[in-house]
Amino acid sequence: MNDNHNPEMQNPESDLDVDRRNLLKAAGVGVAALGAMSILNVPFAGAQDMSTGADNFYKSDRVMLEKVTFKTQYQLNVAGNLLLPNNLDRAMRHPAIVVGHPMGAVKEQSATLYATKMAEQGFVAMAIDLPFWGESEGEPRNAVSPDLYAEAFSATVDFLGTRAFVDRDRIGGIGVCGSGSFIISAAKIDPRLKAIATVSMYDMGAANRDALNKSLSVELRKEIIATAAQKRYAEFEGGAIEVAGGTDLELTAQTHPIQREFYDFYRTPRGEYTPAGASDQRTTKPTVTSNTKFMNFYPFNDIETISPHPMLFISGDQAHSKEFSQDAYNRAAEPKELLWIQGAGHVDLYDRVDLIPFDKLHSFFGQHLA
């Protein structure tokens, strides 16, 4: 890890208690991976040119994009970008891959890039919006529901597996950031997902219960839960639904480097995207009262039962989130693989095409969806 961080952060422990109180006051929410956690004393990737190789909005003249919608088991519409190779023979059945976006993002952020690149390599690929986000249904907007997030992956398998040009016995998935934990949750109860890859994975349960490096006390966790629970009364009586956490709307001299890393993607032209009808003041930010649902989310429990379906965990060796990929790998049963990308931070693997190991993803799914 590089210690070249902001001089204002040289002694973060001295301000930790104040920061935690501010967390409760300003967020009133669990320590979400995309914001509140970033004030804690955790390691981070050093300063770097975050734009190098970044191509989130990559388009390919070798694939076609079809916008589709389909229903979950709970009759919520999921919106997807279906990416197909231009030369796809629709008379034959092909392997398919579902791709989930980072927590708080939408399918146009990272997921469609991955789906496009996989379609270039001959796969049918679908980037989806999780329920409550982007163009998918669900109220209130930006709500947290790990079960419904996992269900969206199974619903995508329903859709893909009923296309005449898809081989339903050769469907896999990629989860980026938070979606890594959601697709693992899905795969534990949906063996139709034959191969799973995660990239820059967050265990959204552990991230909220414990924060990075288990730096959140049980006492503070209980305060966060109690604060959110009290806010439910106001919402029940018709009050405004508050959002918190997520990525800061502006930078200050005190902004932590992890938050700066997210800001560079979500709040600049590099990756900024506001869906139609949404507010750019609320993007990435989960609702306060629903975010505590993550406290009950344990995606890595029973992860070994996914075997014999293979799992590939990809993370930057400089990523502040790398503990989650390591933990999942340690718990998973064979066949499994953990791939460290040298010099890469967490957000780097959202869109930096010079670092994302698309060749490895091609070979992994080519082998296991053969």
Side-chain angles (χ1 to χ4, degrees), residues 27 29-30 32-35 103-104 133 141-144 149 204 208 241-247 282-292 294:
V29 66
L34 299 181
M103 177 59 205
W133 299 88
R141 304 309 294 165
N142 297 21
V144 168
Y149 294 168
M204 293 304 301
N208 280 270
I241 296 173
E242 298 179 23
V243 295
T247 301
R282 294 169 75 90
T283 56
T284 79
K285 297 175 177 291
T287 65
V288 170
T289 54
S290 73
N291 197 69
T292 54
F294 279 137

Side-chain angles (χ1 to χ4, degrees), residues 294-317:
F294 279 137
M295 302 289 189
N296 269 345
F297 183 46
Y298 293 84
F300 297 169
N301 285 4
D302 300 323
I303 191 175
E304 70 278 5
T305 63
I306 293 174
S307 176
H309 294 160
M311 304 191 73
L312 169 64
F313 306 100
I314 300 171
S315 176
D317 68 353

